[in-house]
Amino acid sequence: MEQRKPNIAVLGATGVVGRHILEIMEELKIPYNSVKLLSSAKSAGSKLSFDGNEYTLEEATPNSFEDIDIVLASAGASTSKLFAPEIVKRGGLIIDNSSAFRMEKDVPLVIAGVNDEDLKKHKGIISNPNCSTSQLILALKPLNDLAKIKRMIVSTYQSVSGAGLAAINELKENTKARLEDKAFTPVKFTQEIAFNCVPQIDVFCENGYTKEEMKVTNETRKIMHFPDDMPISCTAVRVPVFVGHSEAIDLEFEKPITAEQAREALMGAYGIEVVDDIENKKFPTAIQCAGKDPVYIGRIRKNIAFENGISFWCVGDNLRIGAALNTVRICKKVIEMGLF
């Protein structure tokens, strides 16, 4: 029997991630019966092209979700919290890209291709993980299947696009000011971001970690179904890169694992591309991953601090795999599995 095509709404269609969602829906040829583009009152009435047609943006109200099957939302946590109950009440499903529901017990937190079975547990809300978590988990899955992970330390080097368009503009303006030897007062960041690394993303928690670092820790446990007491530590740093998050990952396993075994497992893994030829100085960097779907991995080596350890470098386009791509991949899985 042919799968029913959903009526889809994109909430936050004019944002950086919202525009990527529309692009990727076209690229992945997401089947749909109708599409509605929703925005704030400020953007309502403007036009956007999608799949060869021009659409007029509508202001999002509760009534916008009548007869909508799937909502792809990337409009911020407060907007998602406002509209999610209205969507669910009307029989719709929201795939949410914000932090609003990620750690709620009854809300599946999903990386498509990693924990698809969790989609079956949804009660009208599915959460897309934090951008740095998304690329990390795609790398962890094949390695955990090979030899169970018992400990993880990760340091992230995150691009400014993760903080939105205003942050991208601030890096441009800050860089220009520095090059012209002019004073600059940061707004989006607590310190100047140009020619600098800022070891703070989001607010600090009582334990001294930032909220971003705890997102990576807690979301990894939830998606991978790791025990609550599994040791995980993250340091998250904002760096002067426009697009692309980089991560240095150190893993300890329950049994011995060689770098060659890890490399082989990663080379055949979903969503992963290995670029690891140190003799010819080939390894992935953020600037090379921008605009591309895979998570790129290199510098795979035996960790000399852990008994059964592996270390590697991981980069991905945070606007795609970290946000829009996984959101649309979840949508595709939901349609294929008949879960709307």
Side-chain angles (χ1 to χ4, degrees):
M1 195 172 94
E2 190 179 352
Q3 179 64 54
R4 181 170 73 89
K5 294 179 180 178
N7 296 325
I8 297 176
V10 178
L11 178 61
T14 57
V16 175
V17 175
R19 289 174 187 268
H20 275 77
I21 284 174
L22 293 172
E23 288 173 17
I24 296 167
M25 282 178 67
E26 287 188 40
E27 291 170 15
L28 298 188
K29 295 181 168 51
I30 299 298
Y32 62 89
N33 179 54
S34 68
V35 168
K36 184 184 285 190
L37 306 187
L38 302 173
S39 67
S40 64
K42 184 180 174 183
S43 299
S46 57
K47 311 278 187 182
L48 271 182
S49 293
F50 169 71
D51 203 17
N53 297 303
E54 190 174 66
Y55 289 81
T56 301
L57 278 106
E58 302 176 32
E59 180 184 358
T61 69
N63 290 332
S64 302
F65 305 104
E66 291 291 342
D67 300 320
I68 294 294
D69 297 303
I70 300 173
V71 179
L72 305 182
S74 190
S78 58
T79 302
S80 291
K81 285 177 181 176
L82 177 66
F83 288 122
E86 300 293 340
I87 293 163
V88 175
K89 185 169 72 178
R90 289 165 171 77
L93 162 65
I94 176 172
I95 301 171
D96 184 40
N97 195 45
S98 80
S99 61
F101 308 106
R102 287 175 185 155
M103 296 314 298
E104 292 198 6
K105 189 179 178 185
D106 292 337
V107 176
L109 183 65
V110 175
I111 299 288
V114 173
N115 61 326
D116 298 341
E117 285 299 303
D118 289 351
L119 292 170
K120 295 176 180 176
K121 303 172 188 173
H122 87 74
K123 297 178 180 178
I125 304 173
I126 296 168
S127 266
N128 185 34
N130 182 42
C131 51
S132 45
T133 308
S134 295
Q135 69 187 68
L136 170 67
I137 298 294
L138 280 171
L140 296 186
K141 172 70 164 57
L143 296 174
N144 191 62
D145 289 346
L146 177 66
K148 197 172 179 186
I149 298 166
K150 65 180 286 189
R151 184 192 311 269
M152 180 179 82
I153 297 173
V154 56
S155 297
T156 71
Y157 306 88
Q158 298 179 220
S159 67
V160 296
S161 56
L165 187 58
I168 293 172
N169 290 334
E170 182 159 317
L171 173 55
K172 290 177 182 177
E173 291 159 12
N174 193 175
T175 302
K176 189 171 183 287
R178 276 273 159 185
L179 290 172
E180 295 175 355
D181 202 24
K182 293 178 180 176
F184 184 85
T185 304
V187 176
K188 285 295 293 182
F189 305 108
T190 56
Q191 307 282 340
E192 288 189 57
I193 189 63
F195 306 101
N196 201 14
C197 295
V198 182
Q200 180 192 352
I201 301 178
D202 215 322
V203 296
F204 285 100
C205 306
E206 285 185 13
N207 63 0
Y209 283 77
T210 62
K211 199 172 174 183
E212 178 79 5
E213 292 160 351
M214 293 312 300
K215 282 179 190 175
V216 172
T217 299
N218 295 328
E219 290 176 18
T220 297
R221 287 198 183 107
K222 182 173 179 178
I223 297 164
M224 295 293 293
H225 302 286
F226 285 151
D228 290 343
D229 61 352
M230 177 178 160
I232 298 175
S233 180
C234 175
T235 300
V237 182
R238 189 73 73 187
V239 295
V241 170
F242 287 114
V243 176
H245 288 355
S246 303
E247 299 174 346
I249 301 161
D250 300 302
L251 302 176
E252 184 175 16
F253 297 87
E254 290 190 353
K255 65 180 186 181
I257 172 176
T258 67
E260 290 71 26
Q261 288 172 321
R263 188 176 291 107
E264 190 176 333
L266 289 163
M267 284 178 78
Y270 171 78
I272 297 290
E273 188 166 320
V274 173
V275 181
D276 192 19
D277 180 4
I278 55 173
E279 285 186 11
N280 293 300
K281 299 181 178 60
K282 289 186 178 178
F283 41 78
T285 64
I287 205 165
Q288 295 158 340
C289 76
K292 298 173 184 172
D293 288 347
V295 171
Y296 295 89
I297 292 177
R299 298 289 319 281
I300 303 165
R301 62 203 186 276
K302 187 78 175 167
N303 181 294
I304 57 175
F306 290 159
E307 185 179 353
N308 299 319
I310 292 291
S311 297
F312 59 94
W313 179 252
C314 167
V315 301
D317 182 327
N318 55 292
L319 299 176
R320 292 182 72 87
I321 184 55
L325 179 61
N326 192 54
T327 301
V328 180
R329 280 178 173 171
I330 291 172
C331 179
K332 189 176 184 183
K333 291 283 185 184
V334 163
I335 295 168
E336 289 170 354
M337 296 168 76
L339 296 176
F340 67 95

